[in-house]
Amino acid sequence: MKKITILGSTGSIGTSAIDVIRAHRDEFQIVAMSAHGNHKLLMEQIEEFNPIYVSIGTEEGRRAIEERYPELTVYMGEEGLKKLGALDEADIVLTAVSGNVGIEATVEAVKKGKRIALANKETLVCAGELINKMVEEYGAEIIPVDSEHSALFQSLESGRREEVSKLIITASGGPFRGRTTKDLEKVKLEDALKHPNWAMGRKITIDSSTLVNKGLEVIEAHYLFGIDYEDIEVVVHPQSIVHSLVEFRDRSVIAQLGITDMKVPIQYAFTYPERGENNLTERLDLVKLSRLDFEAPDMEVFKGLKFAFEAGKIGMSMPLIYNTANEVAVDLFLQGKIQYLDIYRIIEEAMGKHTPVELKNIEQIKEIDRSLRDEIYRKY
Ligand code: NDP
Ligand code: MG
């Protein structure tokens, strides 16, 4: 029986993970889970899975849970997430919170030498170097959940790291593929929230439309697999069937393909190195698809990707700035306080003003994050 902690059990990845666990109750057991605002759904999940610990983001939620489940240990907020990350009872910690609030909980899990099923890409973007060092030091293990990184991880199994010549990350191109900058000026929130292939949380859906999501994935891939940015290519593939590819030095290219369902990479991160059965009815049907298309990304219009390569190549604290500026900008856009293209303006300005520094510890990362957040929120 593998014991699992889910950070962000009420989100899009969290509920897909719950589906995976529900379909394999003899293999997986939930020991802890966390939510932020949605304590109603968390209480339904407690009812069904009977965890030992939970963490919740609001005082109202805490009171409601403690009243109904007096036996349960209830933690709160970011401290609560950290507590869940460090639990001795768990073998695997799935990090499926949105944004960089998950960093410290991930660090706690790393320090306990656990397997981290990593969905939260912001963590490695902000603290990649530090986390990699700690993973080595504490003998922890990171198995990617993001579909592209799971595909790269699986494709990399067919060769040694020094034999890799290129990572090719696919991108759906989002809902605005083919548009001009002028078209993007008029984008409304509801247009940006419609993703062609994947049903996801609101923040990542906006990120997919700006290609910031792909940018975060490029930086995440760099830290996960130790490949230089010069050797990472992004290709737009509107059908999202080829999840990503690895080119080896003999020019052999290995790809991973599949249906667009996050339950597949989530389950693989739980079962790796084995592959379990699953009860999905949908299967890849190449004849029905009949064609797969590929094109170059337009980095002049979708600057989210261009800025990521720039931030990644500069390194040090620049990817953190790129991520924090984007998190705040997307939040402001979701609140209707800024226009769509202001997201790029905010990222560009933050990166332009920043003098990169070496990141030595998590406190320093939190401080840089906090001061940039305050600065941007004050302005808008
Ligand atoms: P959602 O917005 O659907 O879910 C986010 C989860 O995090 C919810 O459980 C939410 O709780 C919780 N949460 C939100 N804010 C906080 C906070 N401040 N403190 C603690 N918990 C918080 O996001 P997704 O599931 O779409 O994405 C989660 C992560 O996985 C992201 O990093 C994303 O980039 C990554 N990812 C997602 C994919 C997808 O298909 N969705 C694909 C690949 C990666 P509540 O709902 O209770 O408020
Ligand atoms: Mg992805």
Side-chain angles (χ1 to χ4, degrees):
M1 200 70 146
K2 285 183 176 163
K3 298 193 170 140
I4 299 180
T5 291
I6 304 181
L7 304 179
S9 64
T10 48
S12 162
I13 293 286
T15 50
S16 291
I18 295 256
D19 288 342
V20 169
I21 293 166
R22 187 183 287 119
H24 301 86
R25 298 215 50 167
D26 50 337
E27 285 170 60
F28 307 124
Q29 185 193 341
I30 298 178
V31 293
M33 45 197 176
S34 87
H36 187 62
N38 193 352
H39 67 266
K40 291 222 170 84
L41 179 55
L42 182 64
M43 281 161 79
E44 287 171 27
Q45 295 173 339
I46 294 170
E47 196 66 42
E48 183 177 357
F49 292 97
N50 197 23
I52 317 169
Y53 309 88
V54 297
S55 180
I56 183 75
T58 64
E59 195 46 56
E60 183 202 354
R62 186 176 68 88
R63 251 179 281 129
I65 295 168
E66 282 180 343
E67 208 165 282
R68 175 118 52 103
Y69 304 99
E71 313 281 275
L72 190 61
T73 307
V74 185
Y75 298 119
M76 268 202 79
E78 275 189 59
E79 276 309 304
L81 286 183
K82 274 173 78 173
K83 287 253 168 46
L84 295 201
L87 293 174
D88 289 325
E89 290 91 335
D91 306 310
I92 302 174
V93 177
L94 171 67
T95 65
V97 296
S98 170
N100 68 11
V101 286
I103 294 182
E104 286 183 289
T106 307
V107 167
E108 293 303 315
V110 169
K111 284 186 180 162
K112 288 285 173 80
K114 295 194 191 298
R115 169 175 297 191
I116 291 129
L118 186 81
N120 180 279
K121 55 193 86 187
E122 293 89 346
T123 297
L124 277 190
V125 171
C126 296
E129 231 158 278
L130 277 175
I131 290 186
N132 277 344
K133 263 188 221 144
M134 280 193 249
V135 165
E136 194 133 307
E137 186 182 343
Y138 293 98
E141 179 185 38
I142 295 187
I143 311 290
V145 166
D146 206 343
S147 58
E148 293 77 4
H149 304 78
S150 178
L152 293 170
F153 181 80
Q154 294 178 55
S155 302
L156 282 164
E157 302 261 289
S158 61
R160 287 200 292 265
R161 288 303 144 99
E162 64 272 22
E163 295 164 351
V164 173
S165 56
K166 192 162 72 174
L167 303 182
I168 305 168
I169 301 180
T170 55
S172 72
F176 307 134
R177 186 170 58 89
R179 305 282 178 94
T180 63
T181 301
K182 202 158 174 30
D183 299 331
L184 295 186
E185 266 166 25
K186 289 173 264 161
V187 162
K188 294 273 167 302
L189 179 57
E190 58 270 27
D191 308 323
L193 284 176
K194 281 182 210 136
H195 194 278
N197 304 337
W198 301 91
M200 308 178 288
R202 283 157 67 90
K203 193 246 170 194
I204 183 176
T205 303
I206 303 294
D207 287 350
S208 300
S209 77
T210 57
L211 291 205
V212 167
N213 180 53
K214 211 45 58 179
L216 295 171
E217 290 183 358
V218 166
I219 300 172
E220 187 188 8
H222 166 79
Y223 287 121
L224 271 174
F225 306 119
I227 303 292
D228 289 344
Y229 289 99
E230 282 75 17
D231 301 324
I232 301 178
E233 181 185 342
V234 172
V235 172
V236 173
H237 165 44
Q239 293 93 353
S240 299
I241 293 299
V242 180
H243 295 315
S244 279
L245 317 85
V246 176
E247 183 198 66
F248 291 93
R249 63 187 181 192
D250 63 354
R251 298 294 180 263
S252 213
V253 178
I254 307 287
Q256 189 261 349
L257 285 71
I259 53 171
T260 53
D261 189 327
M262 288 306 295
K263 290 196 276 296
V264 178
I266 292 169
Q267 178 173 320
Y268 188 64
F270 290 167
T271 61
Y272 172 81
E274 272 116 53
R275 288 182 187 275
E277 288 279 352
N278 78 36
N279 60 359
L280 301 176
T281 46
E282 197 189 345
R283 317 178 76 143
L284 180 60
D285 185 337
L286 287 173
V287 173
K288 203 163 139 206
L289 276 165
S290 89
R291 56 182 283 181
L292 298 173
D293 299 299
F294 300 93
E295 63 193 45
D298 185 343
M299 291 209 235
E300 287 314 310
V301 174
F302 297 96
K303 294 187 196 144
L305 186 54
K306 186 176 79 176
F307 294 153
F309 274 105
E310 287 169 8
K313 283 177 187 167
I314 294 168
M316 298 195 278
S317 52
M318 203 51 107
L320 166 65
I321 298 297
Y322 169 79
N323 179 71
T324 300
N326 177 63
E327 281 191 25
V328 178
V330 171
D331 182 46
L332 290 167
F333 179 66
L334 287 170
Q335 292 182 46
K337 291 190 176 156
I338 59 168
Q339 301 293 309
Y340 188 72
L341 285 178
D342 291 333
I343 298 174
Y344 293 150
R345 283 189 201 107
I346 289 172
I347 300 171
E348 190 168 25
E349 194 185 309
M351 283 175 55
K353 282 206 313 213
H354 181 70
T355 310
V357 292
E358 207 184 312
L359 296 175
K360 297 201 179 74
N361 51 54
I362 298 296
E363 288 67 42
Q364 184 198 6
I365 291 176
K366 282 178 73 177
E367 185 44 46
I368 295 173
D369 174 75
R370 194 178 314 117
S371 100
L372 180 58
R373 264 172 212 272
D374 291 349
E375 187 188 323
I376 303 172
Y377 277 123
R378 239 182 282 123
K379 202 163 153 194
Y380 291 91

